[in-house]
Amino acid sequence: EDQVTQSPEALRLQEGESSSLNCSYTVSGLRGLFWYRQDPGKGPEFLFTLYSAGEEKEKERLKATLTKKESFLHITAPKPEDSATYLCAVHHTGNQFYFGTGTSLTVIP
Amino acid sequence: DTGVSQDPRHKITKRGQNVTFRCDPISEHNRLYWYRQTLGQGPEFLTYFQNEAQLEKSRLLSDRFSAERPKGSFSTLEIQRTEQGDSAMYLCASSRTSNTGELFFGEGSRLTVL
């Protein structure tokens, strides 16, 4: 069965303490892997699309990477405003996007 | 760009009542999605439209749920005979046909069934 698994479920970092979030997937025929940010009570906000192993995308303090079985979202020197839930989603056959359960990130000043 | 708008933002209803949510996508977007999200979970796919055609439905979607997108513009999601298990955030997203990756989400409609 196709699965998207994110770890850890929750992560607390001190401001400036870099770390990585993981998204592992077992879907066949991957057409894309996506990272979203979701603030409480809001809809997810698109961050990155990755299409092939070895691809990397960067935006401010965030960098997303992709291998054949997982993706990492690296957060460098995070700030309190980076606190949010980060969701990973995969797109394979059809037009459905399957989301993981997310990693809740808290950055402490 | 006015973004995706959803109405109402919050709905409290009694079990057994019918509810309807509306989604207005970004105007040039052909694709429209409905997702459901419960606390601590990621969004769960419900259904997808390309223009006015409903092309995919989750097999988890019971027959109490129905969605329409007349004229390929706004969409409605109706839940009949609501149950307490229907309590969730209902998210709408839209995208351009040529862009398979970037979904623009609305802020969601939160349903509470008492």
Side-chain angles (χ1 to χ4, degrees):
Chain A
E1 182 177 312
D2 295 335
Q3 275 197 324
V4 179
T5 304
Q6 291 190 245
S7 62
E9 289 186 8
L11 182 63
R12 289 171 64 89
L13 299 173
Q14 292 290 331
E15 184 171 0
E17 179 187 1
S18 301
S19 188
S20 296
L21 313 182
N22 177 263
C23 170
S24 63
Y25 61 92
T26 58
V27 298
S28 56
L30 182 73
R31 293 168 63 183
L33 184 141
F34 315 98
W35 283 97
Y36 286 81
R37 169 191 170 128
Q38 187 172 28
D39 292 302
K42 300 285 184 69
E45 177 186 350
F46 172 80
L47 293 173
F48 302 111
T49 303
L50 301 165
Y51 289 109
S52 56
E55 190 174 358
E56 296 184 353
K57 294 277 180 71
E58 281 190 72
K59 179 179 179 181
E60 295 181 356
R61 295 176 292 282
L62 301 176
K63 183 168 87 171
T65 62
L66 181 65
T67 72
K68 288 189 177 178
K69 298 209 169 173
E70 58 190 349
S71 176
F72 292 94
L73 184 65
H74 307 277
I75 303 176
T76 302
K79 298 182 177 181
E81 54 261 42
D82 295 322
S83 297
T85 295
Y86 290 86
L87 295 163
C88 165
V90 297
H91 179 209
H92 59 120
T93 55
N95 287 287
Q96 297 186 27
F97 295 79
Y98 290 93
F99 283 82
T101 55
T103 293
S104 176
L105 173 67
T106 303
V107 182
I108 305 162
Chain B
D1 184 355
T2 57
V4 177
S5 63
Q6 293 189 242
D7 184 71
R9 293 291 314 280
H10 303 276
K11 178 71 177 179
I12 300 173
T13 191
K14 293 182 179 179
R15 188 177 49 167
Q17 298 293 305
N18 299 343
V19 297
T20 299
F21 301 114
R22 176 180 169 124
C23 171
D24 287 272
I26 294 171
S27 58
E28 64 268 27
H29 286 184
N30 296 323
R31 296 183 171 183
L32 187 146
Y33 301 79
W34 284 99
Y35 282 83
R36 176 172 61 192
Q37 187 175 28
T38 54
L39 196 63
Q41 300 297 312
E44 174 189 30
F45 172 80
L46 293 179
T47 191
Y48 151 71
F49 290 85
Q50 172 132 345
N51 298 314
E52 67 275 10
Q54 187 175 19
L55 298 184
E56 289 185 44
K57 286 173 64 172
S58 168
R59 61 181 183 274
L60 301 176
L61 201 65
S62 86
D63 56 8
R64 296 184 298 105
F65 287 70
S66 62
E68 294 183 340
R69 192 183 181 197
K71 302 179 183 177
S73 56
F74 71 92
S75 176
T76 58
L77 176 69
E78 181 182 17
I79 309 173
Q80 296 182 325
R81 305 180 304 281
T82 53
E83 301 172 357
Q84 288 186 324
D86 297 331
S87 295
M89 175 77 86
Y90 289 85
L91 293 164
C92 175
S94 68
S95 72
R96 297 185 185 92
T97 304
S98 61
N99 185 330
T100 59
E102 185 173 354
L103 301 183
F104 292 81
F105 281 86
E107 301 214 323
S109 293
R110 180 166 295 284
L111 173 65
T112 301
V113 182
L114 301 176

